[in-house]
Amino acid sequence: MDSDDEQQETSTVVATFATPRIPDPKLSPKLVTMLRPVVGYIYNDEQMSLKMSFEQAALLLEPDYNEETKVFRFLVNTKEVCRAVGEKNEAHSEAREKLVQIVRYYCYTVKKVKEYFTRRKIFYTRPPKAVLAESTETATKGKKLKEENIGFQMLQKQGWSGGGLGSGEDGIIEPITAMKRKGKQGLGTDNATEEAGETEEKVKIPLEAFYLVIQEYAGVNALYDLVFSSQFAREQVRKLREFAQSKKLQTQMVGQKKKKKLVISKPLTISEIMVGVLKGHSDLCAKYIVIPPASMADGAAT
């Protein structure tokens, strides 16, 4: 179920560090100390999620606007951190920009530079390459998997005792059948042999097999993303998302409307991402960079 043609998705990006040049907001030492746990989170190029950044630092961020004085303030744990004057929308935008600059000056920032990074892209109509030859031979002869078979051993580790797959044991019992292919086109090629006057029936893998992949991913110490191709139907995606969420995994849909992919990730806090990048974890360095506080460039204490 892995793809060899996703080199751009599986190539590791080396995390880079660039300290921004930002004017000193000149906050009081007490405010600076209060803000120290904050790790800013930037996504969509330069858009910072202030809510996530402050919530994960266990700090209460509150907007406050006075209609009479036209003053918009951002309060952190009831203490004013910055303000702007004007009509509500304009003042809010100005104050928000000031707060973003304050975070970037005094705090570390994690910036997401890639939507996802995967070592396993999963297709609905492609059999696992590692067991393709073996499963084809087994299915052709109509034999059950033997105990020394790698797939058999993997299923046993997941709690399978020889019946049908699934919690109710009402899933498939026999191995997945791989269709014999004619022509010279490679596996997984769309419209493979149409020009040669030949047709091919695609192999469809039961949904239970993907549940096992998700369960395996949830139980290992891997920080790459699990990416399901856009071949999956909407109802299949819904079931996969529900199963992943039941395993405490994060899910999101990535891509354009007709080619959205389900991406499953490990739930990590911004601080955990930052530490992982700073330690050089390749899976995290492929998606994120860490930007030191601008105050470091000024030689100020953080």
Side-chain angles (χ1 to χ4, degrees), residues 37 58 88 110 136 150 169 178 189 205 271:
K88 187 174 183 179
V110 168
T136 302
I150 295 176
E169 297 190 354
T189 305
I205 303 172
S271 295

Side-chain angles (χ1 to χ4, degrees), residues 64-75:
D64 175 73
Y65 184 68
N66 188 309
E67 293 285 354
E68 294 182 359
T69 62
K70 304 294 184 184
V71 174
F72 191 104
R73 304 184 301 163
F74 272 113
L75 310 176

